[in-house]
Amino acid sequence: KKAQNLAELRQAISDVIAPFKGELMSKYIIIYRWRTEQSERGLHLSSLVHYALRDRNCQTWVDHLSLKSGQLLVNAIQQTMQDIGSVMIVLAPGDLDRCTMEDDFFRFELDTAMDNQYKLHFLLFDVSNIEELFPRRKTPFFLKLFNKMLTVACKFVSMDGNFESVINELANST
């Protein structure tokens, strides 16, 4: 039992220091829709992406795993975007539906990322084309986001297909 506890402790320590060993390959802040009416898919997908990139020696910041106690979310996100400069946006069907409201927090995150010349990476889950992500009601915000998505390389991700290869590609990009 002691050997098992020691092995677990070593693994826990290794997990904590893994992102800081050696030279970091890439740095990302990950933004996502925490929950939709159907599920908390964004929370799970962002965690999956975070841990997959961290296992490849990348530094990632995602609010539910990286936010320090007492730290204001808005300030932390803005400061981290400035410090890192690369923003990974995790999107799946339904994630943009509430962005029709100007006070939607995810919309704020997307606007901040688009308005500040950060390097953007879109991970699109469970869709075959960009249009599937957008609600029927087109607003200036959606047109701005759609146009931004057309100017960067969006990654269409399938959990049972190309997830690992997309993560490897992102881990090796600068």
Side-chain angles (χ1 to χ4, degrees):
K1 184 164 179 139
K2 269 188 175 182
Q4 181 182 0
N5 289 344
L6 185 57
E8 289 172 2
L9 179 61
R10 282 187 184 137
Q11 184 60 48
I13 292 170
S14 176
D15 289 346
V16 169
I17 64 172
F20 306 104
K21 288 193 311 190
E23 185 177 326
L24 293 172
M25 297 174 78
S26 299
K27 298 179 183 182
Y28 297 102
I29 178 173
I30 301 170
I31 63 174
Y32 60 97
R33 165 73 69 198
W34 181 291
R35 82 172 41 117
T36 64
E37 286 72 29
Q38 295 82 26
S39 71
E40 292 184 351
R41 175 186 54 222
L43 178 70
H44 301 298
L45 291 175
S46 65
S47 296
L48 187 66
V49 170
H50 163 79
Y51 287 115
L53 285 168
R54 193 183 79 169
D55 288 348
R56 288 159 178 82
N57 212 28
C58 294
Q59 180 182 348
T60 61
W61 190 98
V62 60
D63 58 5
H64 69 276
L65 298 172
S66 306
L67 194 64
K68 295 179 177 82
S69 178
Q71 197 175 19
L72 294 175
L73 181 61
V74 172
N75 294 348
I77 288 171
Q78 289 174 324
Q79 185 61 50
T80 304
M81 281 186 189
Q82 278 182 340
D83 293 347
I84 292 179
S86 288
V87 181
M88 184 171 306
I89 300 165
V90 175
L91 288 173
D95 288 352
L96 297 175
D97 292 351
R98 292 194 316 243
C99 288
T100 56
M101 299 178 287
E102 291 197 23
D103 64 345
D104 180 68
F105 193 76
F106 187 49
R107 178 178 171 158
F108 160 78
E109 291 177 303
L110 292 169
D111 261 337
T112 301
M114 289 188 295
D115 289 345
N116 289 289
Q117 302 304 315
Y118 299 118
K119 185 173 183 182
L120 302 180
H121 305 270
F122 289 90
L123 290 184
L124 312 179
F125 286 85
D126 302 325
V127 295
S128 57
N129 65 64
I130 294 172
E131 291 85 7
E132 292 177 50
L133 294 166
F134 289 90
R136 291 181 188 257
R137 181 174 167 226
K138 301 298 185 257
T139 65
F141 167 77
F142 288 133
L143 293 174
K144 177 174 138 182
L145 178 61
F146 183 78
N147 287 330
K148 184 59 94 171
M149 291 173 81
L150 293 177
T151 65
V152 299
C154 295
K155 307 288 185 203
F156 293 90
V157 183
S158 166
M159 294 308 296
D160 57 354
N162 66 340
F163 178 77
E164 291 295 323
S165 64
V166 167
I167 294 296
N168 285 334
E169 182 181 333
L170 290 166
N172 292 313
S173 72
T174 54

